[in-house]
Amino acid sequence: MSATPNRKRGRMLAAVAGLTTVGALVAAMPAGAAEDRGHGHGHGGYGYGHDRTVDVQLLSFNDLHGNLQPPAGSSGRVTHTNEDGTTKTIDAGGVEYLATHLREARKNHKYSITAAAGDMVGASPLLSGLFHDEPTVEALNKLDLDVTSVGNHEFDEGYKELKRLQYGGCHATDGCYEKNAKGKPKYFWGADFPYLAANVTKEKSGRPILDPYFVWEKNGVKIGFIGVTLEGTPNIVSAEGIKGLKFSDEVETINKYSRILERQGVKSIVALLHEGGLPASSSYNYNCDSPGPGNGISGPIVDIAKNVSPQVDALITGHTHQAYACTIPDPAGNPRMVTSAASFGRLYTDTTLTYDRRTRDIVRTSVASANHVVTRDVAKAEDMTQLIDRWNTLAAPIANRPVGYISGDIDNPADGLEKPLGNLITDAQLESMAPADKGGAQIALMNPGGIRAPFVHKASGSEGDGVVTYGEAFTVQPFTNMMTAVDLTGAQLITALQQQVSGANQAAPKILQVSKGLTYTLDMTKTGADRIVADSVKLNGEAIDPAKTYRVAMNEFLAGGGDGFAVLKEHKNKLVGGSDLDALIAYFAAHSSASGPIAAPATDRITVIK
């Protein structure tokens, strides 16, 4: 293998030094765990001519999902609440603008760190996804990202592919995508920053699959980062890609490594956690500390934050694609900052960590955070524009091919239960699996998390308004999951609907999108499984018979019980069809033309009582 870049080589040498100094304490950890590096520009350690405290800037973001170009439609907007209570939306996102905002934010800061909380890649638009997210890793290197935790989507293509993104190498089947000046394959060097996966271990050895933590150091200022992903990752990714891996409790893991860092003399600690919360408002500038600290946020992050060791000074979170900067009390009752910057590069968080040189700890009472919009009214970063243009040239023959026509936006609202785009997709899936030789499906179900973007009527390039390109269709359904048709009893079907709002999904409901003909009532005034009015579930106006068998189309992820739908694993007589993306494209081909575009389907399948 060719030599690694200098930045990586320095990281590995630092790791060796770390292993030497901390001995048995890190003997069970992968190489690289104790590395030190940073982007700060300070003036040395605490002593003559230096103040006792120094402000360290921590810039952070999460859930980029390979969105290098500005996200389309509602996926590319954020909501701002004005002082008078009215709201406005702001177009946001795009790595060309994110780079400009981050670089501007770093100016005049002697100590600045950039960190992320997972899902940098996965479920990515075609520009990145077609090339197994190499373009995004390259962009993150140019952004000077220092460190990130892994998210569940980093496992979309399996653990081996995650390792390739970290350490480099051309893709196992697709090879190298570019050629160098001599016409030879251009090697992919991987990430310059460490992916942290403290709570993801190999079942046989118990060793973390990647570095569990990272120590940023500059002129005597040391800040440790512990990275974890959500413990429930196995429920939302393909089982094959994580075979042989164990996902441990987030709190126990963070507390374990905070003790290890403390023993190494690292007392300033930040957790990068790919799990999050649900603020009471969708506005990015909502005050989630009103009327009291953390009162305006709910979800898994609340219990996690209340139990993570007080040794940890801040939690940078993600996964829920929400925006917040809250102070949730730690186990000692002291306020601690917990942040998230929405998703798709629309926001970044700027946190000030005041470092005490004498105690080597963060002055917790001085920690301050705020989310900032990645507006598109700034100059584009030229290096990012060049990167996008280069990869777009490679993708163009595939991405620009027209596949369908729409008469207006077909939206995928984040706060919607039944979504126009969800109805379109399930209808396409039902049609693809309904023929007797294709599965004989009567119903189609689609997990909402598998729908990644809306269809926007306005042209994204030169294709013309209302034209849907292959690249746009891929952005909507990037997983290319295979479709299945299975047998479910009526009782199992009703249980699946109940699992949308109970069990693993009770705190954060996952409302399945359903094909035409299936209707029911969702009573949100009740709790748990009672939210599904069982006798309201009908197919073509006829009540679902619990004892009858129905043929149901769904992707393989759902058929495997993904997203907390355990009952769907009990299916019988599975028949595998084509991919979900192929089903969508075939539907466009059959039902749309330049003179007869598809309109957004009505949302009249789920009756919601609030």
Side-chain angles (χ1 to χ4, degrees):
M1 182 182 293
S2 302
T4 56
N6 289 338
R7 196 174 180 189
K8 284 191 176 181
R9 186 181 300 116
R11 194 162 70 216
M12 290 189 292
L13 290 174
V16 174
L19 287 169
T20 301
T21 56
V22 299
L25 200 59
V26 294
M29 298 177 197
E35 70 167 284
D36 295 339
R37 66 183 176 91
H39 291 304
H41 306 285
H43 299 293
Y46 177 49
Y48 177 76
H50 299 288
D51 294 333
R52 173 173 167 175
T53 61
V54 58
D55 283 345
V56 178
Q57 179 191 58
L58 175 58
L59 302 175
S60 59
F61 55 98
N62 51 276
D63 296 276
L64 180 64
H65 290 288
N67 278 265
L68 301 181
Q69 295 173 297
S74 57
S75 294
R77 294 191 287 267
V78 295
T79 301
H80 176 92
T81 298
N82 301 314
E83 290 185 5
D84 63 1
T86 60
T87 62
K88 65 178 180 180
T89 59
I90 305 171
D91 290 338
V95 75
E96 294 161 294
Y97 304 108
L98 177 60
T100 298
H101 280 280
L102 291 180
R103 290 165 183 171
E104 186 65 28
R106 291 179 188 134
K107 289 182 178 179
N108 302 317
H109 286 274
K110 296 178 180 180
Y111 296 84
S112 184
I113 312 168
T114 303
D119 277 7
M120 294 295 96
V121 301
S124 305
L126 187 76
L127 177 62
S128 187
L130 185 63
F131 305 107
H132 299 282
D133 285 309
E134 290 182 20
T136 297
V137 172
E138 180 184 347
L140 293 171
N141 288 343
K142 290 179 179 292
L143 281 177
D144 284 333
L145 181 64
D146 285 290
V147 59
T148 183
S149 59
V150 296
N152 54 285
H153 280 283
E154 264 83 20
F155 294 96
D156 281 351
E157 294 190 49
Y159 162 53
K160 290 183 179 179
E161 176 64 5
L162 170 57
K163 284 183 65 178
R164 186 184 76 88
L165 293 180
Q166 174 71 94
Y167 299 115
C170 295
H171 193 267
T173 56
D174 291 347
C176 300
Y177 295 109
E178 297 183 291
K179 294 182 179 180
N180 61 22
K182 296 182 179 179
K184 294 183 178 181
K186 187 177 178 182
Y187 187 82
F188 172 64
W189 288 106
D192 287 349
F193 52 89
Y195 270 106
L196 304 183
N199 67 328
V200 187
T201 56
K202 294 181 180 179
E203 288 181 343
K204 290 184 177 180
S205 68
R207 292 170 62 91
I209 62 169
L210 294 168
D211 292 355
Y213 64 86
F214 160 79
V215 178
W216 182 93
E217 180 178 11
K218 193 68 178 179
N219 299 330
V221 176
K222 290 185 178 182
I223 298 178
F225 290 85
I226 302 166
V228 299
T229 192
L230 67 156
E231 183 183 5
T233 292
N235 297 323
I236 54 177
V237 301
S238 171
E240 186 61 30
I242 58 171
K243 189 175 181 180
L245 302 183
K246 178 182 178 182
F247 292 76
S248 300
D249 181 83
E250 304 97 331
V251 172
E252 291 178 4
T253 303
I254 294 170
N255 291 348
K256 169 186 173 180
Y257 284 103
S258 67
R259 291 191 296 269
I260 289 175
L261 285 170
E262 283 268 339
R263 291 170 194 164
Q264 294 185 38
V266 180
K267 297 185 178 181
S268 300
I269 302 172
V270 175
L272 304 176
L273 170 64
H274 193 70
E275 179 59 289
L278 301 168
S281 168
S282 60
S283 293
Y284 79 90
N285 61 331
Y286 165 67
N287 179 12
C288 50
D289 282 337
S290 177
N295 284 353
I297 190 169
S298 60
I301 196 59
V302 177
D303 284 340
I304 290 173
K306 288 181 178 179
N307 287 283
V308 164
S309 169
Q311 293 173 311
V312 176
D313 298 296
L315 280 73
I316 309 300
T317 73
H319 186 56
T320 57
H321 291 202
Q322 302 298 308
Y324 47 84
C326 304
T327 53
I328 301 175
D330 66 16
N334 298 316
R336 176 168 54 194
M337 191 61 67
V338 180
T339 71
S340 175
S343 61
F344 304 158
R346 294 174 292 165
L347 300 174
Y348 71 91
T349 310
D350 192 334
T351 300
T352 299
L353 301 173
T354 300
Y355 183 90
D356 188 319
R357 291 183 182 275
R358 190 178 73 179
T359 65
R360 293 175 292 172
D361 206 350
I362 299 299
V363 181
R364 186 83 70 76
T365 55
S366 298
V367 176
S369 289
N371 278 318
H372 299 273
V373 182
V374 178
T375 60
R376 302 177 192 169
D377 58 358
V378 297
K380 296 180 179 180
E382 291 185 9
D383 57 338
M384 294 301 177
T385 301
Q386 292 168 3
L387 181 152
I388 289 171
D389 289 346
R390 198 178 88 242
W391 287 102
N392 260 334
T393 299
L394 290 175
I398 297 173
N400 296 337
R401 176 169 63 88
V403 297
Y405 302 86
I406 55 176
S407 61
D409 291 354
I410 303 181
D411 210 356
N412 182 46
D415 56 353
L417 300 178
E418 181 185 352
K419 308 168 189 285
L421 185 50
N423 288 352
L424 174 68
I425 287 172
T426 51
D427 288 350
Q429 293 177 349
L430 177 60
E431 185 165 299
S432 72
M433 303 299 287
D437 62 337
K438 301 293 185 182
Q442 302 163 274
I443 300 165
L445 304 176
M446 177 65 193
N447 54 306
I451 307 171
R452 307 304 298 185
F455 280 122
V456 178
H457 185 261
K458 184 177 180 180
S460 59
S462 60
E463 73 275 10
D465 291 350
V467 178
V468 176
T469 66
Y470 181 87
E472 290 166 341
F474 183 97
T475 297
V476 168
Q477 290 207 276
F479 298 107
T480 57
N481 280 314
M482 301 308 291
M483 291 301 302
T484 68
V486 302
D487 282 352
L488 290 177
T489 66
Q492 289 171 325
L493 179 60
I494 292 172
T495 298
L497 296 179
Q498 291 171 334
Q499 288 178 345
Q500 299 176 113
V501 289
S502 63
N505 294 326
Q506 181 155 338
K510 291 186 175 67
I511 305 303
L512 294 167
Q513 304 301 286
V514 300
S515 56
K516 58 185 176 183
L518 184 67
T519 58
Y520 69 95
T521 297
L522 178 65
D523 188 347
M524 297 302 287
T525 66
K526 298 181 179 179
T527 58
D530 289 339
R531 285 178 165 178
I532 304 299
V533 181
D535 59 6
S536 72
V537 185
K538 298 179 180 180
L539 178 60
N540 299 322
E542 183 178 335
I544 291 291
D545 183 346
K548 187 177 177 180
T549 296
Y550 297 86
R551 291 292 284 171
V552 184
M554 66 188 77
N555 60 46
E556 284 202 302
F557 171 70
L558 272 180
D563 269 355
F565 293 96
V567 71
L568 297 180
K569 291 191 293 184
E570 300 172 11
H571 64 259
K572 296 180 179 179
N573 301 324
K574 182 171 76 172
L575 180 67
V576 179
S579 75
D580 52 7
L581 179 59
D582 288 342
L584 180 60
I585 290 173
Y587 192 80
F588 272 120
H591 297 279
S592 75
S593 64
S595 58
I598 288 179
T603 52
D604 54 5
R605 302 172 190 182
I606 305 174
T607 300
V608 181
I609 300 174
K610 296 183 179 180

